């Protein structure tokens, strides 16, 4: 854009002008930046335009409802804001859990009413699955399955789609056993930098992912990554870009 120049003094003015223009564009642009720079919304990053990692926990802690708030408390204690995508068939019976997670500074998003694969449903049923989900502004479609139709339905109901950049595959057991904390930790540690920086890590409340979290948090920090920071209680409205 600029002709080659020599010396810092010569480039200072064009750079600051470019910076001002970029900031103005960011403020005015209806499509906010992704982690990779200004552009289209990237559902894998969920609006995380920071360089930090967003940890997400899905579904429900079957047989141990209190596990959700214990995980939330642990993360809060380490200054971390995570996102919980709860199946509303369970969460609606325990509104205190959603309220506590939000008071702990976490986001709680829509993961549908009953965790059916949305693209396989008639449009009316897909809409009802989203409408019957936990009210929020971020939708994680069950199994990460969605298409143009689901994006359109979600948008009409006030939702952005949110998937992930790092899948821990914590639900994928062998011999009826979920992977243990050491394996989950190693998987996140080895995930590509581009998937972690400004990325979104997927885990579940019913697996051994919560047990693996302390190691995962330690590893991410020792690898030089920040995690989304806890900055006080949240509401049902999850901001875009994310306040990480
Ligand atoms: Zn799920």
């Amino acid at each position: 854009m600029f002709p080659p120049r020599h010396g810092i003094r010569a480039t200072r003015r064009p750079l600051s002008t470019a910076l001002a223009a970029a900031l103005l564009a960011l403020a005015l642009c209806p499509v906010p930046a992704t982690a990779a720079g200004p552009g289209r919304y990237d559902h894998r990053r969920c609006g995380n335009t920071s360089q930090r990692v967003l940890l997400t926990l899905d579904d429900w802690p079957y047989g141990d409802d209190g596990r959700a708030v214990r995980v939330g408390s642990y993360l809060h204690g380490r200054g971390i804001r995570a996102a919980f995508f709860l199946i509303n068939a369970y969460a609606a019976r325990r509104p205190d859990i959603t309220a506590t997670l939000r008071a702990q500074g976490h986001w709680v998003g829509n993961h549908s009413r009953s965790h059916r694969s949305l693209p396989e449903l008639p449009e009316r049923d897909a809409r009802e699955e989203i409408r019957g989900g936990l009210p929020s502004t971020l939708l994680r479609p069950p199994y990460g399955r969605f298409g143009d139709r689901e994006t359109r339905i979600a948008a009409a109901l006030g939702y952005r789609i949110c998937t992930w950049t790092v899948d821990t595959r914590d639900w994928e057991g062998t011999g009826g056993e979920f992977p243990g904390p050491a394996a989950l930790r190693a998987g996140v540690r080895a995930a590509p930098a581009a998937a972690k920086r400004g990325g979104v890590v997927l885990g579940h409340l019913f697996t051994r992912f919560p047990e693996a979290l302390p190691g995962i948090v330690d590893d991410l920090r020792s690898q030089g990554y920040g995690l989304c920071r806890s900055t006080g209680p949240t509401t049902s409205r999850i901001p875009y870009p994310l306040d990480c």
Side-chain angles (χ1 to χ4, degrees):
M1 182 181 253
F2 303 110
R5 289 170 189 269
H6 302 285
I8 289 169
R9 184 180 293 276
T11 57
R12 184 170 292 151
R13 185 178 297 276
L15 278 178
S16 62
T17 305
L19 185 64
L23 289 172
L24 187 66
L26 203 61
L28 298 177
C29 184
V31 182
T34 67
R40 277 169 55 85
Y41 175 73
D42 182 350
H43 64 81
R44 296 167 309 156
R45 295 185 190 269
C46 307
N48 181 8
T49 60
S50 77
Q51 297 290 300
R52 291 175 280 275
V53 182
L54 175 66
L55 300 172
T56 67
L57 296 103
D58 283 13
D59 294 11
W60 192 255
Y62 307 112
D64 182 12
D65 292 357
R67 194 182 200 194
V69 298
R70 290 199 303 275
V71 172
S73 176
Y74 161 73
L75 291 168
H76 176 60
R78 298 209 60 183
I80 296 165
R81 164 173 290 156
F84 292 74
F85 292 94
L86 305 179
I87 300 171
N88 208 29
Y90 302 95
R93 292 190 214 133
R94 292 294 307 269
D96 58 306
I97 289 180
T98 295
T100 301
L101 290 171
R102 286 178 175 157
Q104 290 169 341
H106 303 298
W107 288 308
V108 185
N110 187 327
H111 197 36
S112 84
R113 176 171 53 198
S114 65
H115 210 273
R116 299 173 70 191
S117 177
L118 300 177
E120 286 153 58
L121 297 176
E123 178 158 338
R124 173 195 292 248
D125 293 355
R127 182 177 293 107
E128 288 310 307
E129 274 292 309
I130 299 170
R131 215 205 295 267
L134 195 151
S136 175
T137 55
L138 216 51
L139 170 71
R140 174 161 283 168
Y143 314 103
R145 289 188 203 138
F146 73 99
D148 291 345
R149 187 190 71 168
E150 288 68 41
T151 303
R152 172 173 53 78
I153 297 171
L157 293 172
Y159 289 97
R160 284 174 290 112
I161 301 279
C162 167
T163 59
W164 52 82
T165 57
V166 178
D167 184 354
T168 62
R169 303 190 80 82
D170 56 330
W171 47 270
E172 195 172 54
T174 48
E177 299 273 331
F178 291 126
L184 295 174
R185 180 176 180 175
V188 175
R189 194 164 54 220
K196 287 190 282 205
R197 201 168 296 286
V200 178
V201 175
L202 167 67
H204 293 81
L205 284 164
F206 62 86
T207 66
R208 302 188 70 185
F209 181 71
E211 280 173 76
L213 273 175
I216 289 171
V217 168
D218 286 346
D219 284 349
L220 286 170
R221 285 183 169 161
S222 70
Q223 286 181 320
Y225 299 100
L227 289 110
C228 286
R229 302 158 300 175
S230 187
T231 58
T234 66
T235 66
S236 60
R237 196 191 145 275
I238 300 174
Y240 176 42
L242 295 182
D243 175 18
C244 265

